[in-house]
């Protein structure tokens, strides 16, 4: 177990019954804050251990610095171990299919009976009510049914998923936020909590600005590709001679600076582009004018010139170029961690930099399946026991 006594969640124990991304990613953050995260796995391991390279990426991304215990929760002996583990924990988390924890005997009432002050967290696809309450739900389903895919992609193209498991990852951040708030309240009142988060709710909440725009304009959001539907020169993508870059210059003073940069200072007074409404109506023509000014120049030069003019501009990087970018390297955005087989790999550090985070803890080791079973049993006062799931 990592010595993390100086970290904010030192002394907090988290029983992690999670799989895939949403809960393991949340409990990974708890581990990085110093919590003792015990990964409870069935015989054979949680699903990620059996999905080849895709599963290995989930193990590396969301399971460093945890301790693994193997329990067969269909066996009375291991049910008793899980009961003792929950009774000794501050937080218990799961994202198993709806009804699974109840069938195993660990529904919220049972958990609360074992530990009245426990903070119980469940992540489901669609929430506890409604016709989809018992449906299995993954990130892609939430992207689809929340409307997110309908606003992603080119206007005349098919709906598209976002390029990362963005709903899972955002849900993980929401779990952390809710648990930290619950821990603070428990510190003050002694009360535990039952936290329920649905992937669908997360995906809908992420699009709050779109819902508000629909409310204000009366027009539902639709796919429009790059740029912003209600502004011109906002989040636009342009092609340089050797790559692509993004540019935002929708404020009046910023548009004036852009006109200077492209050598068309009088354009700011042209009635077609003189205000935000005109620029939106004539967006296509405006994009062609600005694009032609940069198409034969190297992308780094384009971004340099625009940035020096005080405009928001950035190179569109491929993953391999992100790893070697000066900002990423100089800010030590990646640290080294250790896989189950002992090999090292690079992993991003938490975005919040402070004395409350230790890079050495972030760069922890992925536990082998059941590696800490005997150790955890001993801590639970079961020194001579053998977990049924580890026989």
């Amino acid at each position: 177990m990592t010595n993390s006594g100086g970290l904010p969640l030192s002394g907090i124990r988290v029983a992690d019954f999670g799989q895939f991304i949403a809960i393991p990613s949340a409990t990974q953050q708890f581990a990085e804050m110093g919590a003792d995260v015990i990964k409870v796995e069935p015989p054979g391991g949680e699903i990620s251990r059996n999905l080849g390279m895709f599963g290995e990426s989930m193990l590396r991304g969301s399971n460093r610095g945890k301790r693994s215990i193997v329990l067969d929760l269909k066996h009375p002996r291991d049910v008793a171990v899980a009961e003792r583990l929950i009774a000794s924990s501050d937080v218990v988390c799961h994202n198993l299919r709806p009804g699974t924890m109840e069938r195993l005997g660990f529904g919220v009432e049972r958990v609360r009976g074992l530990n009245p002050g426990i903070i119980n967290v469940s992540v489901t696809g669609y929430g506890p009510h409604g016709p989809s309450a018992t449906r299995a739900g993954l990130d892609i389903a939430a992207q689809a049914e929340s409307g997110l895919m309908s606003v992603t992609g080119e206007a005349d193209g098919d709906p598209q998923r976002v390029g990362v498991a963005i709903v899972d990852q955002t849900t993980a951040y929401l779990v952390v936020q809710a648990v930290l708030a619950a821990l603070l309240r428990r510190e003050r009142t002694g009360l535990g909590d039952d936290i329920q988060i649905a992937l669908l709710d997360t995906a809908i909440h992420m699009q709050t600005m779109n819902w508000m725009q629909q409310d204000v304009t009366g027009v539902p959001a639709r796919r429009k590709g790059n740029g912003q539907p209600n502004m011109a020169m906002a989040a636009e993508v342009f092609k340089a001679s050797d790559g692509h870059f993004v540019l935002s210059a929708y404020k009046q003073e910023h548009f004036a600076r852009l006109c200077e940069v492209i050598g068309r200072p009088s354009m700011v007074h042209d009635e077609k582009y003189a205000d935000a409404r005109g620029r939106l109506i004539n967006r296509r023509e405006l994009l062609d004018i600005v694009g032609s000014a940069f198409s034969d120049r190297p992308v780094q030069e384009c971004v340099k010139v625009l940035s020096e003019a005080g405009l928001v501009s950035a190179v569109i990087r491929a993953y391999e170029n992100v790893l070697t970018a000066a900002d990423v390297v100089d800010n030590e955005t990646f640290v080294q961690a250790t896989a189950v087989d002992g090999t090292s790999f690079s992993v991003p550090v938490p975005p919040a930099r402070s004395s409350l985070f230790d890079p050495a803890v972030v760069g922890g080791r992925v536990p082998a399946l059941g590696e800490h079973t005997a150790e955890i049993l001993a801590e639970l006062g079961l020194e001579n026991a053998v977990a049924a799931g580890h026989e």
Side-chain angles (χ1 to χ4, degrees), residues 16 18-33 37 39 46 58-59 61-64 66 95 165 167-176:
D16 175 2
Q19 56 186 343
F20 290 121
I21 299 174
I23 283 296
S25 181
T27 55
Q28 174 66 58
Q29 293 175 66
F30 295 142
E32 291 168 354
M33 296 179 196
V37 178
K39 184 174 181 65
E46 73 117 314
M58 288 189 279
L59 287 174
S62 301
N63 293 283
R64 305 178 313 280
K66 300 179 182 180
N95 60 337
V167 181
D168 276 340
Q169 195 61 58
T170 303
T171 298
Y173 294 139
L174 294 176
V175 168
V176 173

Side-chain angles (χ1 to χ4, degrees), residues 23 92-95 98-99 102 107-109 112 119-130 133 171 174-176 178-179 182 193-202:
I23 283 296
V92 60
C93 302
H94 79 86
N95 60 337
E102 287 75 12
V108 63
E109 294 304 322
R112 180 80 57 225
I119 295 165
N120 186 68
V121 184
S122 62
V123 169
T124 61
Y126 300 95
H129 308 296
T171 298
L174 294 176
V175 168
V176 173
V179 168
D193 204 357
D194 177 30
I195 298 169
Q196 303 176 44
I197 299 180
L199 298 178
L200 179 61
D201 287 350
T202 297

Side-chain angles (χ1 to χ4, degrees), residues 37 64 85 147 154 168 174 185 203 206 212 214 217 246 261 276 290 311 319 337 350 355:
V37 178
R64 305 178 313 280
L85 173 61
E154 294 298 327
D168 276 340
L174 294 176
R185 188 182 73 162
M206 288 165 56
M212 296 305 97
Q214 175 175 303
T217 65
V246 292
V261 169
V290 175
L311 303 176
Y319 266 44
S355 60

Side-chain angles (χ1 to χ4, degrees), residues 334-369:
F334 288 81
V335 295
Q336 292 297 299
T338 306
V340 173
D341 62 6
T343 58
S344 63
F345 61 93
S346 296
V347 64
V349 300
R353 309 294 184 93
S354 81
S355 60
L356 300 180
F357 293 92
D358 182 350
V361 176
V362 176
R365 187 171 65 82
V366 179
L369 175 61

Side-chain angles (χ1 to χ4, degrees), residues 146-185:
S146 67
L148 183 58
M149 289 180 66
S150 78
V151 296
T152 305
E154 294 298 327
D156 56 352
D158 293 332
Q160 290 189 347
R161 65 177 285 271
V162 178
V164 297
I166 192 166
V167 181
D168 276 340
Q169 195 61 58
T170 303
T171 298
Y173 294 139
L174 294 176
V175 168
V176 173
Q177 174 182 296
V179 168
L180 292 178
L183 286 171
L184 178 59
R185 188 182 73 162

Side-chain angles (χ1 to χ4, degrees), residues 289-349:
I289 293 171
V290 175
S292 65
F294 294 105
S295 61
D296 61 349
R297 303 170 72 173
V299 66
Q300 292 289 353
E301 179 185 318
C302 297
V303 171
K304 182 175 184 293
V305 169
L306 291 163
S307 298
E308 288 176 347
L311 303 176
V312 174
S313 182
V315 176
I316 297 178
R317 293 174 179 149
Y319 266 44
E320 58 270 25
N321 296 328
V322 173
L323 288 167
T324 58
D327 292 316
V328 174
V329 173
D330 292 349
N331 286 292
E332 299 179 337
T333 301
F334 288 81
V335 295
Q336 292 297 299
T338 306
V340 173
D341 62 6
T343 58
S344 63
F345 61 93
S346 296
V347 64
V349 300

